[in-house]
Amino acid sequence: MKVSHNWLKNLVEINSTPSDLSEKLSIGGFEVESLEDCSENVKGVVLGKVLSVLKHEGSDKLSICQVDIGTSKNLQIICGARNIKPNIYVYVATVGAKLSAVNLTIKRSEIRGVISEGMICSLQELGLEDSSEGIEIIDEDFALKHELGTPGANLLQLNDFIYDLAITANRPDGMSVIGIAREISALLESKLNFQEINHKYNIHLLKGIQLCPDAITSDCIYTISYIDGVNGEKLSPKWLKDRLEKSGIKSINLLVDLTNYILLEQGQPLHAFDKDKLSNLIGKEVSPEDFSVRKANHNESLVCLDGKKYDLNENITVITCCDKPVAIAGVIGGMETSVTNTTSSIYLEGAVFNPVTIRKSSKAVGIRTESSSRYEKGISSKNTIGAVTRAINLLEEYFAINLPIINTSNLINNEDIFINLRRNRIHKILGPLIINDKFEKRNLSDTEIVDKLTLIGCTLKSKEYGWDVAVIPNRAQDLTREIDLIEEIARLIGYDRFDLNLPNPIKPGKLSSEQLALRRVKNGFTENGFNEVLSYSLVPEDQETLIKISNPLLLETSCLRNNIWKEHLEIVNRNIKAGQTSCYIFEIGNVFYRTTEIIQEELLNGVIFGNRKFGEWVNSGKDNDLNYYQARGKLKEALSCLNIKIDDKPTDSIDFLHPGRTAKLMIEGKEAGYFGEIHPKLIFEKKSLKKVYLFSINLAILLGASTRKNKWIPIYKQYPVVPKMERDINFVFSRKFLISDIISQIRKTGKNLLEDVYLIDVFEDIKLGDDYISYTFRLSYRDKDKTLLDSDITSIHSNIISKIEKRFNTKLRN
């Protein structure tokens, strides 16, 4: 948002320099990105009078001019302009002046044997026009009002500064000059001088108008006013052009410029339709009831004011006249009904649309305008009729118009909405003020509170607990709660003036068990050679099961992901293409899926590819791939920092993993995730360039199991003082049985005396058959109180053998 310092001075008393005001605005929340001195390009340029013009003997095109600039000695200046002549008033760049528009510093120089002591300038050379035919000749009557030697900045009205403000989304009032003026008034504690609006026009309620309920909600408004007696050929006065151009808007004609002026001054976008063009478009005399707001259709298009043709769709909201699109609502008008130099009557539109619909329209057509940026931030419908009235007031000053009727979709309730502001709450939140940089402290007085809120336009009613506060419409977007008002008071008083208070007593923070366990997991992976990655949770739409977000910025980020492994596979593929022989990555991230409701699940995901050789001899002749058990061992090592047991249960139900080399990961009997080799079909389809291993674990289950009291807090046992007794047992099992199930059965049957059991041998032989395999287990028995005898374990050992034979349909081998 660009705004002129001189324009602001007409609206508010400013008693500080532009640079000081810039600093105060930035501290107050309106960051000044740049401060431009308009006179910078014309410093050293003064008013002069050409006294005589003689032809240069050494050139047919050059002239030797004597120029009076109000000093004791006239200047001799060589000039090549065709329109140079005696007794004219001109802009003279004196020696030392810097003309940045043409990248020239004026010096005393010799041109073909004749000394030149300056330069007579055109507006192009002063940076005020794109092109000029010759030097600028100043109107004699205007020049005579000034003394020779008067700085050119005074004549050109360039003694001004332009503030370029960065307005945040929560302060839409900053998108208007009166909003900025009110902010300056609050910061400088100075008086406002707003132009009074003459509310003399009748307001008529439109009952039959068709309005899209998504675009015109209950707190929105649509107005349309017929105004005749205007003239599209009339140009804007100099003051209006000056304000618009310094705000970055090009002057077109008085009608268009006034709508743009209200946009800047009031922050309310307006649009003028040519009434005769509307009538020609619909084939009859147009009336206010012919206008409507609706969603566009797929087969429609509209040529807009920028000369481009836009194909419309249902995401775009349009203004129609007899159902024919004439503008994209809140974004840009149509060329066919635009105001031109032949316009003699107009329909003036002023509206407030739902910010969401404007954002969708703007994105769909790919343009963002001054109007759409204001609608997107949100403006108050309570200001709309006032802004339209202000525009008609200005039209009356320049045209002989009949008093128009303002037709509106609804009558806005202007009753104040009060916010309860408690005195004790202010003191509790803000604390005491520090007085005069000393140790004296006091709470804010009632007068200080009332004064600051009054400066930003609030109305206060005294109550026993404090005040009831009514906020002006253009601040109603960001001042909605008591805490907002308290923050505003602190901002205007100055945050640095309040005492610093630490909580008493100070309670040191600490990480929870889950947070500590998560850190252990991350450290465990990095210590074992894994790199942590971070991938986007937004993905393109490629299947119906994905959850779509309501306002995507791009089609590539329009849905929430339901897996992480696909992105990890892409990362590994990029590493392989870059020549990497191994890639170990992990990520802790969220996936989203829908059942009866939307579920968000946090997962530990990762990929293992290749055999990392840290400090070992590299043998390029050997296969670099890991087998299933080596890769599974890498995951086990990474998770060894957690005192939990993860069981593997073979599965072939995961379609993107190898059906014979995949396992479900079980924690405390619950399915927590999976580990497996990538399916060969994905390698064949080039979706995976090499054999890789994927894993995924539900983080809640993992951390929940690891932080149980019996797992998280170490339990120390007395070192055994009696020997253990070991027995080996060997069975031939069907391959369908899992070792984990067999060991679980042994532990369950062994009860108290069985201390440990583990597999010590696996034997395969053709004599056993293809479907059978021999396992040998070693069982350790111990009694903490005495040395065991064979008779003490005979019954338990026999029971274990019996249970295994019965459950797994096997026999003990001799």
Side-chain angles (χ1 to χ4, degrees):
M1 174 71 183
K2 290 185 176 182
V3 61
S4 155
H5 182 79
N6 288 344
W7 189 358
L8 288 170
K9 284 200 299 184
N10 286 341
L11 300 174
V12 61
E13 291 180 6
I14 299 177
N15 48 22
S16 65
T17 64
S19 58
D20 289 342
L21 181 58
S22 294
E23 185 177 354
K24 289 182 179 180
L25 283 168
S26 296
I27 293 173
F30 282 177
E31 181 187 356
V32 179
E33 292 186 323
S34 65
L35 178 64
E36 179 186 343
D37 184 353
C38 296
S39 66
E40 186 67 29
N41 292 337
V42 294
K43 285 185 177 177
V45 177
V46 298
L47 173 64
K49 181 178 181 181
V50 179
L51 301 177
S52 64
V53 177
L54 299 175
K55 281 291 181 184
H56 194 297
E57 294 181 356
S59 173
D60 295 335
K61 295 181 179 180
L62 298 179
S63 302
I64 303 171
C65 307
Q66 296 296 320
V67 182
D68 183 3
I69 61 168
T71 57
S72 57
K73 181 183 176 183
N74 296 334
L75 299 181
Q76 180 173 280
I77 298 176
I78 307 299
C79 179
R82 294 180 180 179
N83 59 339
I84 188 71
K85 57 184 177 180
N87 298 317
I88 59 172
Y89 292 90
V90 292
Y91 294 110
V92 179
T94 57
V95 173
K98 295 181 180 180
L99 303 178
S100 57
V102 289
N103 194 24
L104 179 66
T105 300
I106 305 301
K107 299 177 181 177
R108 190 175 186 274
S109 58
E110 184 176 317
I111 301 175
R112 297 194 180 185
V114 179
I115 296 296
S116 180
E117 300 172 305
M119 178 177 174
I120 301 174
C121 301
S122 66
L123 292 183
Q124 181 184 1
E125 290 160 337
L126 295 178
L128 301 177
E129 287 185 357
D130 294 333
S131 62
S132 297
E133 293 297 325
I135 59 170
E136 176 67 9
I137 299 175
I138 304 171
D139 180 73
E140 184 174 356
D141 292 336
F142 177 71
L144 289 174
K145 296 177 182 178
H146 302 84
E147 295 181 1
L148 295 176
T150 299
N154 292 3
L155 282 77
L156 294 166
Q157 295 183 355
L158 293 177
N159 284 326
D160 198 1
F161 291 83
I162 297 174
Y163 303 90
D164 191 355
L165 301 167
I167 307 301
T168 55
N170 67 318
R171 290 296 303 273
D173 59 297
M175 297 297 284
S176 66
V177 179
I178 61 170
I180 298 168
R182 194 180 294 279
E183 179 72 8
I184 293 171
S185 170
L187 294 172
L188 302 182
E189 299 185 1
S190 56
K191 292 182 179 180
L192 291 169
N193 184 30
F194 289 168
Q195 184 73 34
E196 186 176 347
I197 299 176
N198 189 353
H199 293 273
K200 61 181 180 180
Y201 314 113
N202 292 329
I203 297 174
H204 174 252
L205 183 63
L206 288 171
K207 295 182 179 178
I209 190 168
Q210 299 295 315
L211 301 174
C212 173
D214 291 337
I216 306 292
T217 55
S218 59
D219 57 345
C220 297
I221 190 174
Y222 186 83
T223 71
I224 194 80
S225 307
Y226 171 61
I227 303 170
D228 62 354
V230 297
N231 183 358
E233 291 184 336
K234 192 165 188 177
L235 299 179
S236 299
K238 192 171 184 180
W239 69 266
L240 181 55
K241 284 184 179 179
D242 180 65
R243 291 181 180 182
L244 291 178
E245 289 170 358
K246 285 177 180 176
S247 297
I249 295 178
K250 185 178 179 181
S251 175
I252 298 173
N253 60 42
L254 182 54
L255 286 174
V256 175
D257 288 356
L258 283 177
T259 61
N260 287 331
Y261 180 75
I262 297 300
L263 169 86
L264 295 172
E265 182 189 75
Q266 304 289 329
Q268 170 65 60
L270 301 178
H271 183 70
F273 298 99
D274 187 307
K275 181 254 183 185
D276 294 330
K277 290 181 179 180
L278 286 171
S279 298
N280 291 336
L281 177 68
I282 65 175
K284 70 181 185 84
E285 195 72 13
V286 67
S287 69
E289 288 77 12
D290 293 326
F291 289 88
S292 64
V293 182
R294 64 168 170 84
K295 294 291 183 182
N297 299 319
H298 266 293
N299 59 346
E300 291 180 316
S301 62
L302 181 67
V303 178
C304 293
L305 291 173
D306 57 2
K308 296 179 181 179
K309 182 180 179 180
Y310 294 96
D311 293 324
L312 307 179
N313 58 58
E314 72 276 1
N315 289 323
I316 300 172
T317 305
V318 293
I319 308 298
T320 64
C321 187
C322 284
D323 207 40
K324 293 185 177 181
V326 292
I328 298 175
V331 180
I332 191 170
M335 177 70 79
E336 193 174 359
T337 57
S338 63
V339 170
T340 60
N341 57 359
T342 60
T343 300
S344 60
S345 57
I346 62 171
Y347 269 97
L348 184 65
E349 174 198 78
V352 171
F353 301 100
N354 181 358
V356 174
T357 61
I358 302 303
R359 194 176 297 115
K360 287 181 178 179
S361 297
S362 179
K363 181 186 171 187
V365 296
I367 55 174
R368 197 161 186 262
T369 60
E370 291 283 349
S371 295
S372 67
S373 64
R374 283 164 174 79
Y375 281 127
E376 288 176 29
K377 284 184 169 66
I379 57 178
S380 174
S381 56
K382 291 184 178 180
N383 288 333
T384 302
I385 291 179
V388 172
T389 302
R390 168 76 170 139
I392 300 173
N393 286 167
L394 288 170
L395 286 170
E396 275 194 289
E397 291 183 21
Y398 295 97
F399 300 105
I401 64 174
N402 297 317
L403 290 183
I405 296 173
I406 301 174
N407 300 284
T408 177
S409 62
N410 59 309
L411 299 174
I412 297 297
N413 184 3
N414 289 318
E415 290 184 9
D416 291 329
I417 298 174
F418 288 95
I419 303 169
N420 296 336
L421 180 60
R422 294 167 290 176
R423 185 182 294 103
N424 60 354
R425 186 66 175 163
I426 297 172
H427 298 329
K428 183 176 180 180
I429 295 291
L430 300 182
L433 280 173
I434 300 174
I435 308 301
N436 299 326
D437 296 329
K438 297 180 181 178
F439 293 105
E440 298 178 31
K441 301 175 184 178
R442 66 167 176 81
N443 285 326
L444 285 174
S445 67
D446 287 4
T447 303
E448 288 172 312
I449 294 169
V450 171
D451 287 347
K452 293 303 177 185
L453 292 177
T454 303
L455 283 170
I456 60 171
C458 294
T459 303
L460 292 87
K461 291 182 179 179
S462 280
K463 299 290 181 180
E464 185 178 348
Y465 53 79
W467 302 269
D468 283 348
V469 182
V471 179
I472 58 173
N474 71 344
R475 291 301 304 275
Q477 303 289 329
D478 66 305
L479 299 181
T480 59
R481 304 167 299 165
E482 180 184 43
I483 193 66
D484 298 329
L485 295 173
I486 295 173
E487 181 186 7
E488 199 70 4
I489 293 167
R491 184 178 71 85
L492 296 174
I493 293 288
Y495 294 113
D496 56 333
R497 293 186 58 194
F498 290 94
D499 190 23
L500 301 177
N501 288 317
L502 292 173
N504 186 27
I506 299 174
K507 295 181 180 179
K510 65 177 182 178
L511 296 177
S512 66
S513 299
E514 287 76 12
Q515 290 169 322
L516 289 170
L518 184 59
R519 287 194 177 187
R520 286 188 188 179
V521 169
K522 290 185 177 182
N523 290 337
F525 274 94
T526 54
E527 288 165 4
N528 282 277
F530 286 77
N531 291 311
E532 185 175 5
V533 298
L534 180 65
S535 57
Y536 289 116
S537 59
L538 296 176
V539 294
E541 182 182 356
D542 62 352
Q543 51 184 287
E544 293 182 0
T545 57
L546 292 178
I547 299 169
K548 298 179 183 180
I549 60 174
S550 58
N551 56 339
L553 293 175
L554 301 167
L555 289 176
E556 291 78 9
T557 56
S558 60
C559 296
L560 295 170
R561 67 183 176 190
N562 61 1
N563 70 79
I564 305 179
W565 68 268
K566 287 184 180 179
E567 181 62 29
H568 285 187
L569 205 57
E570 290 294 326
I571 294 172
V572 173
N573 287 341
R574 286 196 292 269
N575 277 268
I576 292 171
K577 290 178 181 178
Q580 297 296 319
T581 57
S582 63
C583 181
Y584 295 4
I585 60 173
F586 77 97
E587 177 180 356
I588 294 171
N590 293 312
V591 295
F592 309 83
Y593 55 91
R594 192 194 305 271
T595 53
T596 54
E597 57 184 14
I598 295 176
I599 304 295
Q600 177 176 318
E601 193 174 79
E602 195 170 17
L603 299 179
L604 166 62
N605 258 75
V607 179
I608 300 172
F609 158 67
N611 188 11
R612 287 197 165 180
K613 298 178 174 66
F614 299 105
E616 297 179 7
W617 291 102
V618 178
N619 187 348
S620 59
K622 290 188 177 181
D623 187 6
N624 189 50
D625 290 336
L626 297 174
N627 62 38
Y628 177 89
Y629 300 102
Q630 288 174 317
R632 179 65 180 87
K634 296 291 183 184
L635 177 61
K636 183 177 180 179
E637 288 175 16
L639 293 173
S640 62
C641 55
L642 302 178
N643 185 25
I644 58 172
K645 186 174 183 295
I646 301 178
D647 295 318
D648 292 36
K649 187 176 180 180
T651 182
D652 58 2
S653 61
I654 303 175
D655 58 1
F656 56 89
L657 295 179
H658 194 299
R661 298 173 187 169
T662 301
K664 292 181 180 178
L665 303 180
M666 312 296 292
I667 300 176
E668 297 181 335
K670 298 178 183 177
E671 183 180 334
Y674 61 79
F675 179 90
E677 183 183 315
I678 195 74
H679 201 291
K681 71 179 181 182
L682 295 181
I683 300 177
F684 179 77
E685 294 170 357
K686 302 297 183 183
K687 292 180 180 178
S688 177
L689 301 180
K690 295 282 186 179
K691 181 173 71 174
V692 300
Y693 297 92
L694 307 176
F695 63 87
S696 177
I697 302 174
N698 184 297
L699 198 65
I701 296 176
L702 181 69
L703 298 182
S706 65
T707 54
R708 297 196 194 287
K709 196 169 184 179
N710 61 335
K711 301 284 187 181
W712 185 249
I713 301 174
I715 299 174
Y716 297 95
K717 296 180 180 179
Q718 186 176 0
Y719 195 80
V721 295
V722 294
K724 64 183 177 181
M725 185 178 289
E726 294 182 335
R727 293 285 185 273
D728 293 347
I729 55 175
N730 179 270
F731 296 91
V732 176
F733 293 93
S734 171
R735 290 181 181 271
K736 68 180 181 180
F737 296 120
L738 301 177
I739 293 174
S740 59
D741 292 341
I742 300 169
I743 291 176
S744 177
Q745 180 63 47
I746 294 172
R747 290 185 184 277
K748 184 178 179 181
T749 310
K751 296 185 179 178
N752 296 333
L753 290 182
L754 182 65
E755 184 180 74
D756 201 3
V757 56
Y758 47 92
L759 181 70
I760 62 171
D761 184 61
V762 178
F763 177 70
E764 298 178 76
D765 193 273
I766 193 170
K767 295 178 182 178
L768 300 176
D770 293 338
D771 296 330
Y772 292 91
I773 189 168
S774 173
Y775 296 136
T776 301
F777 298 94
R778 178 161 291 164
L779 285 63
S780 299
Y781 298 96
R782 195 194 309 260
D783 189 322
K784 63 180 181 179
D785 297 324
K786 66 174 184 175
T787 301
L788 293 173
L789 301 175
D790 283 342
S791 58
D792 295 326
I793 67 169
T794 299
S795 63
I796 296 175
H797 194 69
S798 299
N799 192 29
I800 290 173
I801 294 171
S802 174
K803 291 283 188 182
I804 291 176
E805 289 177 338
K806 183 177 181 181
R807 179 176 174 185
F808 299 102
N809 193 23
T810 184
K811 289 290 183 181
L812 186 69
R813 291 184 68 199
N814 293 327

